Amino acid sequence: MAFNLKKTIIVTVDFFLAVYLLLAITAFNRPDELSNVCSEVNIDIQDGVVKGFLNAGEVRSQLQRAKLYPLGDPMDQISTRAIEEALRKNPIVEDVQCYKTQTGRVNIQMVQRLPVVRVKADNGDDYYVDEYGNIMPNTTYASDLVVATGNISKKYAQKVLTRIGNYLIHHPLWRCQIQQINVLADGTVEAVPKVGDHVIYFGNPVNLDKKFTRLEKFYRYGLSHAGWNKYSYISLEFNNQIICKKRKL
């Protein structure tokens, strides 16, 4: 008798557990009335050390032009793959992932390429170079980057200016202070600062960290006392010395 009672309890528990699981699965798979259409689009754009070009408004406009902006569309008709492929056509985009949730939201997560220098060469070329040395086309977006001018080939921009641009954006002082890099005919480099009416000559763009360290010390212990406009020309070309030319009165 006790055996049958125990067996009955086990069968009853199994039955109710099976019913519970069936109801749970059915409820989980039954779409919520609000999730039949896309009620929200969340656009998340990752920025690096500096703010890049893209913003949510531009992404929305790009999808609208492609007739792929999903807000208000039936969830089962939204193609996340089509959205990803459309956004990857933008040369500024490095990677994009799109997925849907059961609450009617479409999430778009993007990684944009990080520009480090704007090139406006004497030959008319106008483009950006990213942190890996890739050429990025000129865009309508604004970004607070150092501008490189002068005798610049694309090879020089990719090999040399990328290195300079990466150095500047990772050093807050110089990212704020250096506003223009000018490349001379022999490949040497000079810079125009935001503060101080002088030109900084680096010579060959090598040993940048040592040269900028010397310049920082000169700013701190020299120009801060002598005056920021005392010199018109500061040369860091040679090791362990700084050569200055006084401004003509």
Side-chain angles (χ1 to χ4, degrees):
M1 187 72 176
F3 175 77
N4 290 335
L5 178 61
K6 182 177 180 181
K7 183 177 181 180
T8 301
I9 293 174
I10 293 175
V11 171
T12 303
V13 171
D14 287 345
F15 173 77
F16 282 109
L17 181 60
V19 171
Y20 171 78
L21 291 175
L22 179 62
L23 292 175
I25 293 173
T26 302
F28 181 79
N29 288 329
R30 186 178 65 242
D32 193 331
E33 291 182 1
L34 295 178
S35 67
N36 287 334
V37 298
C38 174
S39 59
E40 182 182 358
V41 180
N42 179 46
I43 301 173
D44 179 27
I45 303 173
Q46 296 183 22
D47 283 325
V49 179
V50 297
K51 185 175 178 61
F53 297 115
L54 287 176
N55 56 55
E58 172 59 30
V59 174
R60 182 171 58 251
S61 296
Q62 182 179 345
L63 290 177
Q64 288 172 339
R65 290 192 296 269
K67 301 185 183 306
L68 289 172
Y69 191 64
L71 188 63
D73 291 345
M75 292 294 285
D76 60 355
Q77 295 181 20
I78 296 172
S79 171
T80 57
R81 182 174 181 179
I83 291 174
E84 290 175 349
E85 291 178 349
L87 292 176
R88 285 196 180 102
K89 292 179 181 179
N90 191 325
I92 299 170
V93 174
E94 181 175 335
D95 190 27
V96 57
Q97 290 185 343
C98 179
Y99 61 94
K100 297 181 285 188
T101 70
Q102 289 191 335
T103 58
R105 174 189 290 179
V106 173
N107 291 310
I108 302 173
Q109 296 180 336
M110 304 180 66
V111 178
Q112 59 182 318
R113 295 166 66 183
L114 175 64
V116 295
V117 63
R118 169 83 178 271
V119 175
K120 295 177 71 70
D122 287 347
N123 62 8
D125 285 347
D126 187 353
Y127 53 87
Y128 293 87
V129 180
D130 75 7
E131 59 186 322
Y132 303 112
N134 299 311
I135 301 296
M136 300 173 61
N138 186 17
T139 71
T140 58
Y141 313 118
S143 186
D144 187 17
L145 293 175
V146 63
V147 177
T149 58
N151 187 32
I152 305 173
S153 66
K154 288 187 177 180
K155 183 178 180 180
Y156 185 95
Q158 293 175 298
K159 297 293 184 180
V160 179
L161 293 181
T162 299
R163 181 162 43 85
I164 297 176
N166 273 304
Y167 183 89
L168 294 177
I169 67 170
H170 287 93
H171 291 76
L173 170 62
W174 304 122
R175 187 170 72 240
C176 296
Q177 171 66 348
I178 303 299
Q179 66 178 352
Q180 181 179 345
I181 296 290
N182 189 49
V183 180
L184 305 180
D186 60 356
T188 58
V189 170
E190 58 187 15
V192 178
K194 292 182 180 179
V195 179
D197 188 13
H198 54 262
V199 174
I200 307 164
Y201 182 66
F202 288 90
N204 290 318
V206 296
N207 300 320
L208 291 177
D209 191 58
K210 292 182 179 179
K211 291 179 179 180
F212 274 110
T213 298
R214 272 187 284 144
L215 181 61
E216 182 178 0
K217 291 180 179 179
F218 182 67
Y219 274 179
R220 189 182 302 274
Y221 304 110
L223 292 187
S224 61
H225 299 288
W228 286 90
N229 297 323
K230 182 175 182 178
Y231 302 106
S232 62
Y233 193 82
I234 300 172
S235 175
L236 304 168
E237 180 181 13
F238 303 107
N239 292 333
N240 301 319
Q241 60 178 305
I242 298 177
I243 301 173
C244 300
K245 182 184 295 184
K246 286 186 177 181
R247 184 176 307 283
K248 294 181 180 180
L249 300 177

